[in-house]
Amino acid sequence: MSSKLRSLPRPDQRPSFVHLRRLTDDTGLLEHALGRIPRRKEGYTADDNARALWTATEWLTGDDSRILPSERSELERLADIYIAYLLWSQNDNGWIHNNIAYDRTPEREERSHDCQGRAIWACADAWVRLSQSSRETAKAIVARAMPTLGSIDSHRGQAFAMAACAHLLDASDRGVIALPGDIRLELLYHMDRYEGVLARAFSHFNDGEWRWFEPAMTYGNGVLPWAMLRTYRYTRRSGTLAAGLESLAFLLETMLAEEGWLRPIGNESWCTRNRSSRWDQQPLEVFKLALALAEAATVLQPAERDDRGVLVGNFAAGGLPDSIVDHRAFRDLCRDWFYGRNDLHAPLVDASDGSCCDGLTRYGPNMNCGAESTISYLMTIAICRDR
């Protein structure tokens, strides 16, 4: 491992879910905070409650002795709240309403295709991996959302939906869940369709220098290569593997600073062929990169046997990862970013309560600790457990 990949010392204590609990009431997860105090007037989003359900599922299903029985019980309680929120915010037509005020009044909004895909993924994951009774509710939410699968019209929403289809089909093949025949056929159809949509998008914009699905890198970028790699695990299509690995290599190349730490694409003006915004750096970008790198490590060993030429062609050049060890080393850089291995050498988290600053600005951390950033931190440290 090169010196650039050496990890910072990091807290070894148990993960804390104190701030996640602080942001959660009996309705769901509140979106924003002033400092660490929830800002109730900002209300709730299905986006954040879906992310929180995913986080609770990730920690509940991991084999981690650091999680005490009392914490597992609390995470199960929180998962029930997040599932109940998604059930409540789902309309009769299967679409999820994203923004809801603190008084539980739905806010006026345009339909969010990203939110729909994200919620379907979170509920599919809960259906597959949770062992408690709430998995049946998650199953019901997915079933009600099935008619919407063909109408999701954003690449990130399609990526989440595609990954959810592959996840459910794989779980069915392994006997973890039972899929009715008609549902199985629908999942296969939509997975294949979105796999083609995203593969064509990548092919359209990929000119050898700009190796991406869109003309700009905006937010949550890592979900696109992650979804391609997660879907490849089921379909075994070499083109899907190639698009996933090549786009991940490009994303990592774009986010890796010369000094050896990560420099997430800032949301001031995002990233295009001509320039990349340095500020404000968002925890969500780091989480999604860790997610994609962990998925690459998962598929790498069997892929080496099936498509070794793809791996060598797209990863070995330029010092980018070409082994499971390297993928995990770069993945751990994501964890280190939260602890201070970043452009300002500034820690963004308080490991004692699990809170995370809302971003890294040119002047320092944004000291507000809202839902998205806190979930991004908790998911990243879960992903970076040795596996």
Side-chain angles (χ1 to χ4, degrees):
M1 184 186 301
S2 72
S3 60
K4 287 186 177 182
L5 299 182
R6 290 174 187 157
S7 295
L8 289 180
R10 62 189 188 278
D12 290 324
Q13 67 262 40
R14 292 188 301 272
S16 175
F17 305 100
V18 168
H19 191 57
L20 185 64
R21 290 195 295 268
R22 185 184 293 138
L23 292 173
T24 305
D25 61 17
D26 61 352
T27 299
L29 181 68
L30 289 151
E31 182 179 13
H32 291 299
L34 181 61
R36 302 187 197 189
I37 303 303
R39 298 184 64 176
R40 295 188 174 115
K41 71 176 182 179
E42 302 291 343
Y44 315 86
T45 69
D47 275 332
D48 287 332
N49 280 270
R51 293 183 182 112
L53 174 58
W54 188 5
T55 303
T57 302
E58 184 70 27
W59 281 102
L60 284 169
T61 55
D63 183 16
D64 195 327
S65 60
R66 294 177 298 170
I67 304 297
L68 299 174
S70 60
E71 291 173 321
R72 288 190 175 276
S73 296
E74 181 64 8
L75 283 170
E76 289 175 354
R77 185 186 73 84
L78 292 174
D80 284 346
I81 291 174
Y82 305 140
I83 290 176
Y85 182 94
L86 294 172
L87 177 66
W88 169 57
S89 62
Q90 188 175 34
N91 298 319
D92 290 342
N93 62 6
W95 285 91
I96 301 286
H97 191 94
N98 193 18
N99 294 285
I100 295 181
Y102 184 66
D103 65 1
R104 299 185 175 184
T105 303
E107 299 177 357
R108 295 185 65 180
E109 65 180 20
E110 293 185 3
R111 180 177 287 172
S112 172
H113 294 254
D114 287 9
C115 175
Q116 187 71 11
R118 184 178 294 107
I120 290 172
W121 163 263
C123 290
D125 191 44
W127 177 10
V128 170
R129 295 205 287 164
L130 289 185
S131 58
Q132 62 205 85
S133 59
S134 56
R135 70 184 301 187
E136 292 302 316
T137 307
K139 174 183 176 181
I141 295 171
V142 173
R144 183 183 285 184
M146 288 297 295
T148 73
L149 275 177
S151 303
I152 296 175
D153 196 28
S154 68
H155 282 162
R156 283 157 187 76
Q158 292 167 345
F160 274 117
M162 176 182 70
C165 291
H167 196 26
L168 292 171
L169 289 165
D170 179 60
S172 174
D173 289 353
R174 293 184 289 109
V176 176
I177 62 172
L179 286 176
D182 56 340
I183 297 294
R184 181 180 179 82
L185 289 175
E186 279 194 69
L187 293 173
L188 281 166
Y189 171 77
H190 291 299
M191 179 188 66
D192 288 346
R193 189 167 71 87
Y194 287 139
E195 191 178 19
V197 167
L198 292 172
R200 287 190 296 273
F202 181 75
S203 178
H204 176 74
F205 290 104
N206 178 14
D207 61 4
E209 293 185 4
W210 181 264
R211 306 187 303 280
W212 196 243
F213 301 85
E214 298 165 327
M217 289 178 162
T218 55
Y219 91 102
N221 295 296
V223 73
L224 296 173
W226 164 75
M228 296 299 277
L229 295 170
R230 180 62 189 88
T231 301
Y232 165 77
R233 272 207 272 158
Y234 188 77
T235 66
R236 312 302 293 177
R237 294 189 177 109
S238 60
T240 303
L241 173 67
L245 293 179
E246 190 169 355
S247 60
L248 175 56
F250 182 58
L251 178 61
L252 180 58
E253 176 185 314
T254 304
M255 290 179 61
L256 191 62
E258 291 181 2
E259 297 86 347
W261 54 71
L262 292 179
R263 180 172 294 146
I265 295 166
N267 69 0
E268 281 188 349
S269 55
W270 306 121
C271 176
T272 66
R273 294 173 184 267
N274 301 319
R275 68 183 301 269
S276 182
S277 178
R278 186 167 181 174
W279 313 105
D280 295 334
Q281 299 176 18
Q282 300 296 302
L284 181 71
E285 299 308 311
V286 181
F287 152 42
K288 292 299 173 62
L289 178 61
L291 183 72
L293 287 165
E295 189 64 34
T298 298
V299 305
L300 183 58
Q301 189 169 2
E304 282 185 308
R305 293 194 296 268
D306 297 341
D307 297 277
R308 181 61 186 172
V310 171
L311 291 171
V312 171
N314 292 315
F315 278 78
L320 293 175
D322 65 348
S323 72
I324 293 173
V325 172
D326 281 348
H327 276 91
R328 288 176 175 166
F330 280 104
R331 176 204 67 183
D332 290 350
L333 283 181
C334 298
R335 177 200 59 213
D336 293 347
W337 181 87
F338 287 95
Y339 293 133
R341 193 174 187 186
N342 53 51
D343 278 335
L344 297 183
H345 309 292
L348 279 82
V349 299
D350 182 345
S352 69
D353 69 357
S355 60
C356 178
C357 296
D358 278 350
L360 189 65
T361 76
R362 67 182 74 242
Y363 307 108
N366 177 340
M367 299 307 293
N368 296 327
C369 300
E372 180 183 286
S373 57
T374 295
I375 290 167
S376 296
Y377 165 62
L378 292 174
M379 278 296 290
T380 300
I381 61 173
I383 290 166
C384 290
R385 294 173 295 183
D386 288 336
R387 50 172 89 188

